[in-house]
Amino acid sequence: MNIIDFHCDALYKMWKSKELLSFRDSAELHTNLERLKQGRVKLQCFALYVPPQLKSEQQFQAVLDQIDYFYEEVLKQPEMKHVKEWADLDTLGDGEIGAMLTLEGVDAIGNDLKKLRILFQLGVRSVGLTWNFANLAADGALEKRNAGLTAFGKEIVRLNNEHKVLTDVSHLCEQSFWDVMELADYPIASHSNARAICDHPRNLYDEQAKAMFDKGGMIHIVYYPHFVKKGGQATIDDLIRHIDHFCSLGGVRQIGLGSDFDGIESFVEGLEHAGMIDNLLNELLKRYSESEVRGFASENFLQRRPR
């Protein structure tokens, strides 16, 4: 069955590497082309991320540099097809893999919405307002202030709505999450787990998950062991506990996958790169119907994407 993976950091890894990493087969990339093909990935989302220590005047250029890697390394592979609009998902042929840009934190745009509109034109289809800390738009998951969205952050959500761009809640603090839920037409959690199973600030409380499901939003399960199990030693069974929990809250048709590959340094046992997804699917098929597993793998998102 086909896979949609809603989050990887391959572009950031290529950008920060001291030598050019081949997207086709570099062993350093968890999501290189050969591994995506091995794992039957049909759509891979590529995050644009800049580290918080980078000077503000350098951040937008860093995003553009990562987009250049996207166009020159990823899209130059004949199997990779750019997904710039939601309808492009319907045109992917056999053997083709969709590639979509997402933005992980709006720090790089400063207070300039024109820069965000430029990123939309270049293909960004999902926007997370923060990484883990505060910026001009909102407070992130590790910001103790928990102040929510600013007026500028609310403008961004409205612009996302206007362009049918997803608003990603994965890195938001609680108040920011609730502010987004009040405003966003297209909320998504690109890579988050259940806080009831693993009490980490990057995971979602039950009330948050229920709010996502009530609004038609998707929650994409993340593989990073520290978000899976306390102590950071996790198995596939531990990861499935998060799926089980979200299903118990009514989300069986609103669960997807968001690996966080190339942004993580430790792994769920048996999920060390994109080519190993069958290890997860086979375990899921022991617990869920084939239709439900196909939903987790890709079809839930295809049915709920913006139109």
Side-chain angles (χ1 to χ4, degrees):
M1 59 187 72
N2 290 332
I3 303 298
I4 289 177
D5 179 1
F6 222 85
H7 190 89
C8 83
D9 285 295
L11 299 179
Y12 173 67
K13 184 179 278 189
M14 286 191 274
W15 173 79
K16 74 174 182 177
S17 176
K18 295 181 180 178
E19 58 185 50
L20 182 63
L21 301 178
S22 167
F23 174 70
R24 175 164 285 277
D25 58 7
S26 173
E28 292 187 48
L29 292 175
H30 310 144
T31 49
N32 68 36
L33 176 60
E34 295 304 318
R35 287 169 169 171
L36 294 181
K37 290 164 65 176
Q38 181 183 353
R40 299 189 308 283
V41 175
K42 195 63 177 176
L43 173 67
Q44 180 64 61
C45 296
F46 292 85
L48 301 166
Y49 164 76
V50 293
Q53 65 269 23
L54 195 67
K55 292 180 179 179
S56 57
E57 62 268 22
Q58 299 173 324
Q59 290 184 354
F60 192 66
Q61 184 60 52
V63 165
L64 295 180
D65 289 346
Q66 290 177 41
I67 292 175
D68 185 61
Y69 282 116
F70 180 73
Y71 276 84
E72 294 300 315
E73 270 296 307
V74 176
L75 296 182
K76 284 294 178 68
Q77 308 301 324
E79 299 95 328
M80 301 300 296
K81 302 299 176 183
H82 194 181
V83 173
K84 290 187 73 173
E85 303 293 343
W86 299 115
D88 294 341
L89 290 169
D90 299 322
T91 66
L92 294 174
D94 292 340
E96 294 182 339
I97 302 172
M100 191 176 81
L101 288 172
T102 68
L103 183 63
E104 187 172 26
V106 297
D107 304 63
I109 71 168
N111 63 354
D112 189 351
L113 286 177
K114 291 192 297 292
K115 290 181 177 178
L116 186 59
R117 286 194 289 268
I118 288 169
L119 296 180
F120 290 169
Q121 292 164 17
L122 291 171
V124 168
R125 293 290 93 194
S126 178
V127 171
L129 298 179
T130 68
W131 188 55
N132 286 331
F133 305 110
N135 58 22
L136 296 179
D139 281 6
L142 300 185
E143 188 65 49
K144 294 181 180 178
R145 180 177 56 176
N146 191 35
L149 268 60
T150 64
F152 181 61
K154 293 175 181 179
E155 284 188 75
I156 291 171
V157 176
R158 286 190 283 267
L159 189 65
N160 289 347
N161 293 343
E162 179 184 337
H163 289 267
K164 293 188 177 180
V165 168
L166 302 168
T167 299
D168 187 1
V169 304
S170 277
H171 276 278
L172 296 178
C173 72
E174 290 179 64
Q175 187 56 53
S176 295
F177 171 91
W178 291 113
D179 289 349
V180 164
M181 294 306 293
E182 188 174 317
L183 293 171
D185 292 340
Y186 311 106
I188 192 171
S190 64
H191 56 311
S192 291
N193 289 341
R195 197 152 179 177
I197 303 299
C198 180
D199 187 10
H200 190 286
R202 276 279 285 100
N203 289 339
L204 298 173
Y205 287 114
D206 287 1
E207 293 78 6
Q208 293 174 300
K210 290 176 183 176
M212 288 289 290
F213 299 149
D214 287 345
K215 201 158 187 178
M218 291 280 299
I219 298 176
H220 293 252
I221 301 299
V222 59
Y223 305 170
Y224 185 42
H226 290 280
F227 302 160
V228 176
K229 186 178 181 181
K230 185 177 180 180
Q233 298 290 326
T235 66
I236 287 175
D237 283 344
D238 294 321
L239 184 61
I240 291 175
R241 289 181 65 207
H242 292 267
I243 294 176
D244 293 342
H245 187 76
F246 284 138
C247 286
S248 76
L249 300 177
V252 67
R253 298 299 179 190
Q254 291 165 259
I255 295 168
L257 305 175
S259 69
D260 209 5
F261 281 142
D262 292 307
I264 56 179
E265 71 288 342
S266 60
F267 306 92
V268 170
E269 182 181 347
L271 285 175
E272 284 84 11
H273 60 70
M276 302 179 76
I277 188 65
D278 272 349
N279 293 334
L280 174 59
L281 298 181
N282 290 337
E283 290 303 313
L284 285 169
L285 285 168
K286 296 175 183 178
R287 299 162 167 84
Y288 293 91
S289 69
E290 182 176 344
S291 173
E292 289 168 334
V293 176
R294 287 184 181 277
F296 303 151
S298 62
E299 292 181 8
N300 287 348
F301 179 76
L302 291 175
Q303 292 168 7
R304 292 185 176 273
R305 61 184 154 147
R307 300 286 182 174

